[in-house]
Amino acid sequence: MINQKNVLVVDDDPVFKLIARKLFERSGDLFNVVFAENGLDAIELLKNIINTNEAEIPDIILLDIEMPIMNGWGFMEEFIKLPEEKTKNITVYTVSSSIAQEDKNKTASYSQIKAYITKPLTLDIIKDIAEAS
């Protein structure tokens, strides 16, 4: 049995979510994917998982930067407040259509973020994430 990776995709764009779902499905049974609409939904979901079912704690988070209600940076500010022993094995990737250098620089300021991925998401990127995580 292949050890599935839990993935949390945090993005408000329905087209991106559809593409991400299809790409993860095409990569086989390697991933269990859950979606959140914005940073606030994602933090609440993560807190609930930590408190109720640690087996479902994400291995990987794909985090959009620009979202309504709570953006990716707001999510990260809340994420770093979570118990480190529960989040230390989560690999966060920011995924954005922004090519702004300040976003890339801000990504680098968080030790929890492994890389900045510029949209669109591709099957090769998914494979690279799987191998790196």
Side-chain angles (χ1 to χ4, degrees):
M1 167 97 188
I2 297 170
N3 192 14
Q4 273 193 331
K5 291 192 183 292
N6 293 323
V7 179
L8 173 58
V9 177
V10 187
D11 200 306
D12 63 314
D13 179 359
V15 174
F16 177 80
K17 291 188 292 191
L18 177 67
I19 291 168
R21 184 183 310 278
K22 296 288 185 195
L23 289 172
F24 281 111
E25 286 171 0
R26 285 182 54 197
S27 63
D29 292 329
L30 302 175
F31 303 98
N32 174 36
V33 184
V34 176
F35 292 87
E37 283 289 311
N38 58 62
L40 184 59
D41 288 351
I43 281 294
E44 290 175 356
L45 177 66
L46 206 47
K47 286 177 180 176
N48 187 39
I49 291 170
I50 287 170
N51 292 327
T52 60
N53 190 356
E54 290 188 22
E56 293 181 9
I57 291 176
D59 301 294
I60 301 163
I61 296 176
L62 299 183
L63 179 65
D64 187 26
I65 295 171
E66 296 299 325
M67 295 175 285
I69 302 172
M70 180 188 284
N71 67 17
W73 305 130
F75 170 87
M76 286 308 300
E77 288 306 309
E78 294 303 311
F79 180 81
I80 61 177
K81 295 176 188 174
L82 296 173
E84 188 178 350
E85 68 273 8
K86 306 289 186 185
T87 62
K88 67 181 179 210
N89 295 323
I90 300 174
T91 305
V92 180
Y93 295 88
T94 51
V95 183
S96 179
S97 52
S98 168
I99 56 169
Q101 190 60 47
E102 54 267 24
D103 286 337
K104 293 178 182 179
N105 292 346
K106 194 162 184 176
T107 291
S109 74
Y110 289 96
S111 62
Q112 300 86 351
I113 300 177
K114 183 169 181 106
Y116 184 98
I117 298 168
T118 304
K119 292 178 181 177
L121 200 58
T122 65
L123 196 53
D124 286 339
I125 292 170
I126 298 285
K127 289 176 182 174
D128 289 346
I129 289 170
E131 289 172 12
S133 301

